[in-house]
Amino acid sequence: MHWTTPWLGWLLAWIIAAGGGAGWLAQQRLQALNEGFQTNARIAHRLLSQQLVQHDAILATLALLQPQLSPDAGANATASDLARLYPQILGIAQRRADQPWPAHWPSTLDALEQQSLRSGHAHMDASRLAAGTLFVVQAGQPASYALALDLRAAVPTEEWPYPPSHSPVRIWLTQGNTQLLLQPGTPEADAPGWAWTQTKTLASPSQVLDLHERYKLHPRLLPWGPMLAWALVCALGLAGLRAAWQQRTARLRAEQLLQHGHVARLNTLGELAAGLAHELNQPLTAILSSSQAARRLLDDREPDVDAARQAMGQAAEQAKRASAVVGRLRRLVERPDTVAATQAVALQALVNDALHLLEPELRQRQVQVLQTVPAPLPPLHSDPIALQQILHNLLLNALQAMEALPPAERRLEITQTRTGDWVQLRVQDNGPGIAPEVRDRLFTPFATTRSQGLGLGLTLSESLAESLGGHLRLIERPALRGACFELTLPLPTEHAQP
């Protein structure tokens, strides 16, 4: 039996309570962060989609109105109102049937113009997406139009849900294997590990780009302050609960010890009545003899007063002796108020109760307790109070016998076995053992090896065992150190072997 087990139980309870509460707080915080991330991701997707759809609308309007533009695409962008309203537009190009596209624009615009002519909507060239530039072409008659776009400038900073300076979210656009970083996020935003991600295609028929958002989770995001506060509250609460539990356990232990004391005094009274009968009988017989002798001396014709006085003095001395014996009896025993009752009891439960009552003694003396029960035992039909008193006496004697040993060597073994219709319980200590000159009178009243002992514990235990139909004896085990007492009790008739 290890006396740190209760501490482990309370520690486990604290870990469960603190861990559960901290986990709930962390889950609430992460849920709030995730909901915010999902909301911002939808807002960012909507804003960028609106920007790209506006590009489609601008090209469709130019193709419909067919305004005359300068061959210099850069000059068109600078001079136009569109460049002031839409800073992401780097240039506007126009191509009539007898003119080519501007020389510095991609060579793929002709092919994109043919695709737009067939589909009716604009098409894009994302070959320079990594640099942030996108070209979009809308076919028209008699002229077609194209926009050169700076996608980084297309991000609406005033409405953007992520503060670019300190947002932890990494945002980028992709088209095939090409990507454009719009927002780097924190330094560890692209590191492997647990992260929330969101990928959606922007809502533009011409600019087919995927918007990616990644929120890398970090332990600092957890609510450590509330979590530590909750753990402290759990520790204080369990400490108070443990103190109350210990107080209740100590009170119950004291009540049970008091009950054992009452039962012990009751049985001690009976033991004293039998053990002191001889001591009382001798002085009473001497008083009777001395009184009769004095009476005969005084009845003579010539009374021998001196002899009668001497006889009465002897009677007085014997009366004092008897009075001393009775006084010792009164000092040792108080009037009990308990009544024995037999019932079905489990021997292991009684052993556990006895060890529980002596737990402070076991812990203080650092005694290691070993229990052995080879097979489950049927319940006994006996008096639990009497059995507890026997166990209490045997265990207490074993503890006191090991006081001279170093704490590391103190070991108490309790073994329960069944032999036929009987159950044996052995209590073995590794103390100095029983001296040979004491063994013969070990169960005699007032036989003790301790200066403060009364010598009635084993006598009382033997009488209680006999009253329960069993017996108590000292087992001779020369090969082992210490003393071994065996309590043998009968099994009920329904559990007896046929």
Side-chain angles (χ1 to χ4, degrees):
M1 181 180 296
H2 204 281
W3 299 108
T4 59
T5 302
W7 278 105
L8 292 177
W10 286 103
L11 179 60
L12 180 61
W14 176 79
I15 291 175
I16 293 175
W24 182 83
L25 291 173
Q27 188 270 339
Q28 293 297 310
R29 177 63 180 275
L30 293 176
Q31 182 178 353
L33 291 175
N34 186 43
E35 290 176 355
F37 169 71
Q38 297 294 337
T39 300
N40 291 335
R42 289 192 294 269
I43 294 174
H45 177 267
R46 176 174 54 82
L47 291 175
L48 281 179
S49 295
Q50 289 174 354
Q51 294 289 85
L52 269 59
V53 169
Q54 288 176 350
H55 302 157
D56 292 333
I58 291 171
L59 286 172
T61 302
L62 291 173
L64 177 64
L65 298 179
Q66 292 289 313
Q68 181 66 35
L69 300 180
S70 169
D72 185 355
N76 291 332
T78 304
S80 67
D81 293 336
L82 292 177
R84 291 190 294 270
L85 295 175
Y86 303 100
Q88 70 269 27
I89 298 179
L90 300 175
I92 304 175
Q94 181 186 56
R95 192 193 75 81
R96 294 184 176 276
D98 56 348
Q99 297 175 349
W101 292 101
H104 59 279
W105 285 49
S107 59
T108 59
L109 295 185
D110 291 326
L112 294 175
E113 182 182 4
Q114 295 301 317
Q115 294 178 15
S116 175
L117 186 62
R118 290 191 296 269
S119 64
H121 61 77
H123 284 262
M124 70 174 181
D125 178 1
S127 60
R128 303 182 191 179
L129 178 64
T133 304
L134 186 70
F135 297 90
V136 185
V137 178
Q138 173 67 57
Q141 292 295 333
S144 298
Y145 296 86
L147 296 179
L149 303 173
D150 181 3
L151 290 179
R152 291 190 180 93
V155 176
T157 56
E158 294 182 358
E159 303 176 23
W160 194 244
Y162 303 109
S165 60
H166 58 274
S167 174
V169 181
R170 180 182 179 88
I171 303 176
W172 67 98
L173 292 172
T174 62
Q175 205 284 322
N177 295 326
T178 308
Q179 70 174 25
L180 169 64
L181 183 64
L182 297 180
Q183 180 174 298
T186 55
E188 70 272 9
D190 200 31
W194 186 22
W196 294 322
T197 59
Q198 184 72 267
T199 299
K200 286 186 177 180
T201 302
L202 296 176
S204 169
S206 64
Q207 299 144 83
V208 184
L209 302 173
D210 292 328
L211 177 64
H212 302 268
E213 301 174 56
R214 188 174 193 270
Y215 191 174
K216 177 68 172 63
L217 300 179
H218 193 277
R220 64 172 175 269
L221 298 175
L222 298 178
W224 291 108
M227 289 166 62
L228 292 176
W230 170 254
L232 180 60
V233 169
C234 290
L236 294 176
L238 286 176
L241 182 62
R242 183 178 183 275
W245 180 267
Q246 286 181 328
Q247 185 177 8
R248 177 180 178 273
T249 302
R251 185 178 69 253
L252 293 177
R253 183 184 292 115
E255 292 175 355
Q256 293 183 25
L257 288 174
L258 181 61
Q259 184 183 28
H260 282 311
H262 286 167
V263 174
R265 285 189 290 272
L266 172 65
N267 289 279
T268 300
L269 178 60
E271 206 58 49
L272 286 173
L276 299 179
H278 181 67
E279 290 191 48
L280 290 174
N281 186 57
Q282 288 181 347
L284 290 176
T285 301
I287 291 172
L288 179 61
S289 300
S290 298
S291 299
Q292 291 176 344
R295 181 177 181 179
R296 286 195 302 271
L297 291 173
L298 293 175
D299 287 342
D300 292 341
R301 290 185 178 181
E302 296 181 1
D304 189 347
V305 178
D306 293 335
R309 184 179 293 112
Q310 182 179 3
M312 293 303 296
Q314 293 175 352
E317 291 296 328
Q318 293 299 324
K320 291 180 181 180
R321 178 183 173 188
S323 177
V325 172
V326 175
R328 181 171 56 174
L329 173 63
R330 293 183 61 184
R331 287 192 301 270
L332 291 176
V333 182
E334 295 179 0
R335 184 174 58 189
D337 55 359
T338 56
V339 178
T342 59
Q343 61 187 54
V345 295
L347 186 57
Q348 181 60 52
L350 295 179
V351 172
N352 292 337
D353 290 343
L355 290 174
H356 176 70
L357 290 176
L358 291 174
E359 180 180 349
E361 296 285 340
L362 292 167
R363 184 169 56 251
Q364 179 181 0
R365 290 178 166 85
Q366 302 180 26
V367 176
Q368 181 184 9
V369 180
L370 303 175
Q371 294 197 57
T372 303
V373 184
L377 300 176
L380 304 174
H381 193 73
S382 184
D383 175 14
I385 301 300
L387 280 178
Q388 286 180 343
Q389 187 64 49
I390 297 173
L391 292 172
H392 183 79
N393 288 337
L394 294 178
L395 294 174
L396 189 59
N397 286 345
L399 294 183
Q400 293 171 347
M402 294 185 289
E403 287 181 345
L405 295 178
E409 299 181 9
R410 296 171 183 172
R411 186 174 66 255
L412 178 64
E413 298 182 16
I414 303 174
T415 306
Q416 302 176 46
T417 57
R418 173 177 178 174
T419 303
D421 298 339
W422 299 85
V423 170
Q424 288 86 25
L425 182 140
R426 292 187 177 185
V427 178
Q428 166 79 43
D429 63 72
N430 63 338
I434 306 299
E437 62 273 13
V438 181
R439 293 177 184 174
D440 293 338
R441 53 187 181 90
L442 190 60
F443 295 98
T444 303
F446 309 110
T448 180
T449 59
R450 298 193 300 273
S451 58
Q452 302 298 326
L454 294 176
L456 293 172
L458 289 176
T459 305
L460 169 63
S461 299
E462 183 187 39
S463 298
L464 290 175
E466 291 177 352
S467 68
L468 298 176
H471 54 270
L472 178 66
R473 61 172 181 157
L474 175 67
I475 301 297
E476 298 290 344
R477 304 176 72 178
L480 296 178
R481 177 181 174 182
C484 179
F485 287 89
E486 181 184 75
L487 172 64
T488 302
L489 298 170
L491 286 171
T493 305
E494 59 270 21
H495 295 290
Q497 293 181 351

